[in-house]
């Protein structure tokens, strides 16, 4: 069984339904010929789908309301409060998609970069909501390659008191190596992704991938 097959069959790795619409959107943003305006527009559409799907994995409680017809309706409400945490810089591209779905949502930020001396991910900046330990956290980063930076960010959240089972990592594309590494290291967190790619190359780039998401989204390509 290939790594991609192992990842796609993991019970805590959830892919968006592989519809024709999603495939068309992903084809556009993967195409190197796509202009920045279209890349941003269609990426935002996928991000919105991911956030909507992510909310499906949050717990709910029963709630009764009364309709305008004076009839009771047995529905549900989310059990707890949520917040977003974006991994800078590319993760910031997903913040608006979260705000579009969850009004007035609080969003924290974490900056993690590779230490040139140790080659290990190092925390450079963290600003989280004060009550984050009481919330469900949607961790935002569009690309999951080796999982090094994302794993470091999860450690930051755990140190801040967030319960591991309340962390939901949302990304557009993941490499099976990184996804499996994270799921093995953190036995209770979940991942929601649009597509699982073939793997990573010698430079740790996702294949077939889409290039540097942050550069393409923010217009800072060379």
């Amino acid at each position: 069984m290939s790594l991609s097959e192992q990842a796609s069959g993991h019970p805590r790795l959830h892919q968006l339904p592989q519809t024709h619409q999603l495939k068309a959107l992903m084809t556009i943003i993967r195409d190197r010929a796509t202009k920045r305006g279209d890349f941003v527009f269609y990426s935002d559409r996928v991000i919105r789908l991911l956030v909507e799907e992510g909310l499906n994995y949050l717990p709910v409680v029963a709630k009764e309301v009364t309709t305008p017809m004076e009839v009771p309706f047995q529905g549900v409400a989310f059990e707890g409060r949520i917040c977003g945490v974006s991994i800078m810089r590319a993760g910031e591209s997903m913040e608006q998609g979260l705000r579009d779905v969850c009004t007035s949502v609080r969003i924290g930020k974490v900056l993690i970069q590779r230490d040139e001396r140790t080659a290990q991910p190092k925390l450079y900046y963290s600003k989280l909501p004060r009550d984050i330990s009481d919330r469900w956290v949607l961790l935002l980063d569009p690309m999951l390659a080796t999982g090094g930076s994302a794993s470091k960010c999860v450690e930051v959240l755990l140190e801040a008191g967030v319960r591991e089972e309340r962390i939901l990592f949302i990304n557009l594309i993941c490499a099976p190596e990184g996804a499996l590494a994270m799921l093995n290291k953190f036995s209770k967190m979940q991942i929601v992704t649009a597509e699982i790619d073939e793997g990573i190359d010698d430079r740790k780039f996702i294949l077939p991938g889409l290039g540097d998401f942050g550069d393409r989204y923010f217009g800072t390509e060379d």
Side-chain angles (χ1 to χ4, degrees), residues 39-199:
F39 182 86
V40 171
F41 178 81
Y42 292 107
S43 293
D44 286 346
R45 285 188 59 184
V46 178
I47 291 168
R48 174 71 177 264
L49 293 172
L50 284 164
V51 173
E52 297 277 13
E53 180 68 13
L55 296 178
N56 285 329
Y57 298 98
L58 301 181
V60 296
V61 293
K63 181 178 181 179
E64 179 181 296
V65 297
T66 302
T67 74
M69 304 305 294
E70 301 297 330
V71 177
F73 174 79
Q74 302 298 327
V76 298
F78 288 115
E79 184 177 20
R81 297 173 298 170
I82 71 169
C83 72
V85 173
S86 63
I87 301 178
M88 301 166 66
R89 153 183 83 140
E92 294 175 303
S93 65
M94 304 177 73
E95 292 179 3
Q96 188 58 50
L98 178 58
R99 291 191 180 98
D100 289 342
V101 175
C102 305
T103 58
S104 302
V105 65
R106 297 183 181 183
I107 297 180
K109 295 179 184 290
V110 175
L111 174 62
I112 295 170
Q113 294 181 341
R114 180 175 296 183
D115 188 295
E116 294 182 0
R117 182 176 58 85
T118 64
Q120 297 298 313
K122 180 179 179 180
L123 174 66
Y124 282 86
Y125 174 82
S126 174
K127 186 67 173 180
L128 304 173
R130 292 182 179 179
D131 60 351
I132 194 170
S133 61
D134 299 324
R135 295 177 180 267
W136 294 79
V137 178
L138 276 62
L139 181 60
L140 309 174
D141 197 10
M143 308 292 284
L144 169 56
T146 64
S149 295
S151 292
K152 182 64 176 179
C153 188
V154 172
E155 292 173 1
V156 171
L157 296 177
L158 296 177
E159 291 171 2
V162 179
R163 290 159 52 183
E164 187 181 315
E165 64 270 22
R166 291 188 173 186
I167 300 173
L168 188 64
F169 183 26
I170 298 180
N171 57 80
L172 277 79
I173 295 175
C174 70
E177 296 94 331
L180 291 171
M182 288 197 68
L183 293 169
N184 289 333
K185 183 175 182 179
F186 305 107
S187 61
K188 297 178 181 179
M189 68 164 288
Q190 301 185 76
I191 297 174
V192 176
T193 191
E195 290 188 335
I196 301 171
D197 271 13
E198 298 172 5

